[in-house]
Amino acid sequence: MKSWKVNLIVLWFGQFLVNAGMTMVTPFLSLYLAQELHVTGEREIGLWAGFIFAANFLTSFIFQPLWGKLADKYGRKIMLLRSGFGMAVVIALMGLATSPWHLLFLRLLNGTISGFNPAAVALISGTTPKKQMGFAMGTVQSGQVAGTILGPLIGGILADLVGFRPIFYITGSLIFIASMLALFLVRENFDREEAAHLPQQSVLEGLRELAKAPQLPALFAVTFLLQFAMVSPMSLLPLYVFKLHGTAENLAFFAGMVSAVAGISNMITSPLLGKLSDKIGAHRILTFALIGAALTLIPQAFVHSVWQLVLVRFLMGVFMGGLLPSVNSLIRTYTPDGMESRAFGFNSSTLALGNMIGAVVGGFLSGFIGIEGLFIISGVLLLINVIWVRTKLYSNRSVKSG
């Protein structure tokens, strides 16, 4: 098997485990705080759960560009292994926490050393033939999404079977195994001598250099808005489902279905749309997916039944399946040589920012405009983003083809 295909298979597995590990804690975090870490009071549990959940994204947002800079200097594989082995240890240590402060510190540390996803994307982009780039980006995106969707489900099942603490040990062990596979099976052609002769820039200087390509800030904005649109209504979805369903019967099942269905269609269509982008161009898929995602976000504010909401969110997931793979392909196209990891690091940073701001702003705005308003605002922002992206991508098409 060709080395780029081996890389893709191993890193798909790695990304699945890393993303599942980061979301596995979601269903039982409040219970873990109450039963194992002895936090009392509904308000205190809610506050701790919010801080602990957000902590990972906060430090990830800050440190991703730094790890991207180091990956461009020393190689993507070494950054991938640093992150994988580091997270394996930190997540296992979460099972030994005896206070919420311990868990908060470990989540902050986990975000600090994270970087498996952008390193994997950068490595795959550097080893995959250009004509297969869309397919590879779509496939690796499906691994991220699969882990994110199935993580909470796996976490909930394991919590019932083995209790809370062993889940952290199991997750750490699986990420360790994935990192070992990457150590022995993943191949990278990286010339350290050539990288050492490139101009050394600070993180901010690197950002300024990347911003000279007008397409890149527009592509980073797509990533941010996509995460904002996905995360901002998430905590309110169960209440919206209850409002549509009209009864508490089977509420958890329907709420889970509504939350997961977009991810399932995203996971299925990412490789397919990635492959299509190899034939017709990533810029066309991006435009099509942005418009489709916007036009399937807005109707969610006007549905009259849970099944209508499930259908519309399934369609939204189909379009969103074309967004991140085409964004990653285009970032690779427009990034100056030798700065690929930094570009993917900044993109991962905007993704973490979208998660953070989506959760905070979504909760705040919902008190004024409701979840319906969040759907409409997210859709309108994506439509505005279509104009920005189209303008920037086509302003320089004569120089570089998307």
Side-chain angles (χ1 to χ4, degrees), residues 231-255:
V231 171
S232 60
M234 202 57 86
S235 62
L236 303 162
L237 272 178
L239 294 175
Y240 193 48
V241 170
F242 177 69
K243 179 180 171 183
L244 294 170
H245 191 45
T247 172
E249 188 180 351
N250 297 323
L251 181 61
F253 168 74
F254 284 114

Side-chain angles (χ1 to χ4, degrees), residues 255-292:
M257 182 187 290
V258 166
S259 297
V261 70
I264 292 168
S265 56
N266 184 322
M267 180 179 69
I268 293 167
T269 56
S270 285
L272 301 175
L273 290 174
K275 201 164 189 174
L276 182 61
S277 76
D278 289 328
K279 294 179 179 177
I280 68 171
H283 62 286
R284 290 193 178 93
I285 293 293
L286 179 62
T287 304
F288 160 78
L290 266 176
I291 294 171

Side-chain angles (χ1 to χ4, degrees), residues 145 149 226 230 237 254-270 272-273 288-289 292-300 303 305-322 375:
V145 173
I149 300 166
L226 173 61
M230 288 291 282
L237 272 178
F254 284 114
M257 182 187 290
V258 166
S259 297
V261 70
I264 292 168
S265 56
N266 184 322
M267 180 179 69
I268 293 167
T269 56
S270 285
L272 301 175
L273 290 174
F288 160 78
L295 296 181
T296 47
L297 263 167
I298 295 169
Q300 292 177 54
V303 295
S305 75
V306 174
W307 291 112
Q308 287 177 356
L309 184 61
V310 167
L311 176 62
V312 176
R313 285 184 68 79
F314 182 87
L315 291 173
M316 179 186 75
V318 170
F319 291 110
M320 287 188 167
F375 288 133

Side-chain angles (χ1 to χ4, degrees), residues 64-65 118 121 210 216-224 227 324 327-328 331 341-353:
Q64 291 296 345
V121 171
L210 289 170
L216 292 177
L219 292 168
F220 295 158
V222 174
T223 301
F224 171 81
Q227 289 307 113
L324 284 184
V327 165
N328 285 332
I331 285 174
S341 293
R342 239 172 297 193
F344 288 120
F346 280 115
N347 195 49
S348 187
S349 196
T350 59
L351 188 144
L353 187 65

